[in-house]
Amino acid sequence: MKIAITGGSGFIGKRLIAYWLGQGHELINISRSSSKQVPGVRTITWGELERNTELLAGLDAIVNLAGESISQRWTQAAKTRIVQSRLQAAEHVAKLVATMDPKPKVVVNASGMSYYGISETDTFDETSPYRQTDFLASVVKQWEAAADLIQGTRIVKVRVGLVLDNKEGAFPKMALPYKLGVGGTVGSGRQWHSWIHIDDMVRLIDFCVQNDSIVGPVNATAPNPVTNKQLGRAIATAMRRPNLFPVPAFMMKLIFGELSVLLLEGQKVIPRVLQEHGFRWRFPWLAGALEDLAKK
């Protein structure tokens, strides 16, 4: 296939590109700047596409992963960048698709599981309604509304969970205390973490591109979410480190500010659409996922 990716230099984008190059697909990295080159992939800027959409002639799919990292202190300026970067990327894709003839068969747009809000007791799937409980929930609501402006093709909104990788993303920060021998439960320990191994994250995006019957929101998580207490025990076991040093909520808030919500709060999310369409996880259980990461 011929596939265009935005956010190709990001955490998930790099792994997705490597996966698809291995399958022999023709890939194009769409970027704001020509300086953001990805090895083995042609880079085209948004400015070039505004002048000539024929650069994407014959395109089968677009995967939009672009957006400012949320793993930073949430100052007002940072919040603005987090929101605007996502809205602008989706709007760029909508304008691009509107000018294309023929249009790509599918657009996969990244989203987030924060759509469902925060809860220690409820279980959510793709049919669950939006709940405004925090900043990230509002970000995802606006993000998906921007993606809904993409018309004339199949749209898949991938609501990404906690992506487990031993080098990038949030997990290395979560695992660091355990490496140092001072890991433990964060906050109450009852908050849910809906997680997914990076390999399965990449594979499910490919699955959504290939499967014509998948439309709309897709929860990008493993089928077995865990509480923070369970996560801590599993990390300690995989790393052969103690799990003895709890971190109180006030300390997390003091260190990270509003960003601490990522560790202190959560939601129990089930990937119902993927289950119904027969997706097979390589790592459906946390212990197996962490054992694999520990080897790398």
Side-chain angles (χ1 to χ4, degrees):
M1 294 189 298
K2 185 175 181 179
I3 307 170
I5 301 175
T6 74
S9 60
F11 164 39
I12 297 173
K14 288 186 294 187
R15 298 293 292 269
L16 180 62
I17 284 174
Y19 180 79
W20 272 336
L21 286 177
Q23 293 188 333
H25 297 306
E26 179 185 352
L27 305 180
I28 296 171
N29 177 45
I30 303 178
S31 176
R32 288 177 298 174
S33 171
S34 58
S35 64
K36 288 193 174 182
Q37 298 290 326
V38 179
V41 179
R42 180 186 178 191
T43 294
I44 299 176
T45 67
W46 285 111
E48 290 173 320
L49 287 175
E50 287 178 3
R51 294 188 294 271
N52 183 13
T53 58
E54 287 300 312
L55 292 170
L56 296 182
L59 197 67
D60 294 293
I62 298 175
V63 177
N64 179 24
L65 303 174
E68 176 90 5
S69 172
I70 62 173
S71 297
Q72 58 180 302
R73 199 168 188 89
W74 291 349
T75 63
Q76 193 56 51
K79 284 184 173 182
T80 299
R81 293 195 303 270
I82 287 169
V83 174
Q84 290 303 315
S85 63
R86 285 159 173 75
L87 300 187
Q88 289 170 2
E91 289 166 1
H92 278 314
V93 173
K95 291 178 181 178
L96 175 64
V97 171
T99 64
M100 297 178 69
D101 185 21
K103 300 184 187 304
K105 299 172 184 176
V106 60
V107 174
V108 175
N109 199 87
S111 181
M113 63 183 180
S114 297
Y115 179 91
Y116 306 110
I118 292 167
S119 177
E120 289 184 358
T121 57
D122 294 335
T123 300
F124 306 101
D125 64 19
E126 290 86 352
T127 65
S128 300
Y130 166 74
R131 293 203 302 180
Q132 168 63 61
T133 57
D134 63 336
F135 168 64
L136 285 183
S138 68
V139 170
V140 174
K141 179 67 171 178
Q142 296 175 73
W143 200 2
E144 293 200 359
D148 287 338
L149 298 176
I150 304 168
Q151 300 291 317
T153 186
R154 179 168 63 95
I155 307 298
V156 180
K157 292 175 280 191
V158 176
R159 293 174 177 165
V160 181
L162 171 63
V163 182
L164 302 185
D165 180 77
N166 60 355
K167 295 180 181 179
E168 297 187 73
F171 183 68
K173 298 181 181 68
M174 299 172 67
L176 181 59
Y178 291 90
K179 288 185 177 181
L180 299 176
V182 293
T185 300
V186 176
S188 71
R190 297 188 299 272
Q191 66 271 33
W192 287 96
H193 296 297
S194 299
W195 60 275
I196 187 165
H197 190 290
I198 182 61
D199 289 354
D200 282 331
M201 182 70 239
V202 166
R203 291 176 56 251
L204 77 83
I205 293 175
D206 177 70
F207 186 79
C208 289
V209 169
Q210 304 273 4
N211 196 320
D212 293 341
S213 62
I214 296 179
V215 180
V218 173
N219 290 336
T221 64
N224 300 291
V226 295
T227 63
N228 181 266
K229 185 172 291 187
Q230 293 169 329
L231 176 64
R233 290 172 179 168
I235 294 174
T237 299
M239 293 187 169
R240 295 176 174 81
R241 293 289 191 273
N243 183 41
L244 303 174
F245 302 92
V247 183
F250 81 87
M251 186 175 295
M252 296 298 294
K253 292 177 182 178
L254 183 65
I255 296 171
F256 296 107
E258 194 177 353
L259 174 63
S260 62
V261 71
L262 291 175
L263 292 177
L264 294 174
E265 307 288 354
Q267 52 282 117
K268 184 180 182 182
V269 175
I270 303 301
R272 189 75 63 201
V273 169
L274 291 174
Q275 290 174 324
E276 292 175 349
H277 284 82
F279 181 75
R280 293 185 177 274
W281 286 263
R282 288 180 180 167
F283 303 100
W285 298 97
L286 181 62
L290 295 181
E291 288 173 10
D292 178 74
L293 294 178
K295 298 174 186 175
K296 297 178 179 178

